[in-house]
Amino acid sequence: MTGPATAAGGATDYCDLARSYAKAFERFGQPATADDHRSYYRNALAAARRAPAVAPAELRADVVVVADGLQALVAGLEGIDYDFARVSYLPAQVITKLMSGPFVESSRKVADHARQSCGAG
């Protein structure tokens, strides 16, 4: 799907990445092993690290905030070996970061942009 961001030509890579991430996220929450979760989150983090370089300028700061939050989450999940039964053992600073106003707001902006400009669900 082509939207305003892809029509401009400058954000095609970003929209490709956003659509790919949205497709991967569709599988999240399905019964999975710790190895499945590990793979999912590591791939998501790799994509998040690439995203700022290709994000539209007006969205770049928000993409960085989301990537930083995801990096903190992955580090926390590594610490509990992706055992979601132990999620209450995630470091408090990880939970605080993911529930902070800036992270929540940036996540909303990134998701809205992905839906509206990239056709990513």
Side-chain angles (χ1 to χ4, degrees):
M1 177 179 290
T2 302
T6 58
T12 301
D13 290 339
Y14 179 78
C15 283
D16 289 346
L17 192 62
R19 284 189 294 272
S20 173
Y21 181 77
K23 184 173 176 69
F25 192 73
E26 290 172 2
R27 295 188 310 271
F28 181 74
Q30 296 176 1
T33 66
D35 286 338
D36 292 334
H37 288 298
R38 184 177 292 105
S39 177
Y40 171 80
Y41 279 99
R42 286 180 178 173
N43 288 334
L45 181 57
R49 287 179 175 157
R50 288 191 310 270
V54 295
E58 69 276 7
L59 193 63
R60 192 165 294 127
D62 293 305
V63 170
V64 169
V65 169
V66 171
D68 288 348
L70 184 56
Q71 184 167 343
L73 175 60
V74 169
L77 291 172
E78 292 279 344
I80 61 169
D81 199 29
Y82 292 86
D83 180 354
F84 280 74
R86 296 176 54 216
V87 75
S88 63
Y89 293 102
L90 285 173
Q93 66 265 26
V94 171
I95 303 303
T96 300
K97 180 173 232 154
L98 297 177
M99 295 185 76
S100 72
F103 179 81
V104 171
E105 181 64 15
S106 290
S107 295
R108 184 194 59 77
K109 287 179 183 177
V110 169
D112 287 351
H113 180 275
R115 274 190 306 280
Q116 296 169 2
S117 298
C118 301

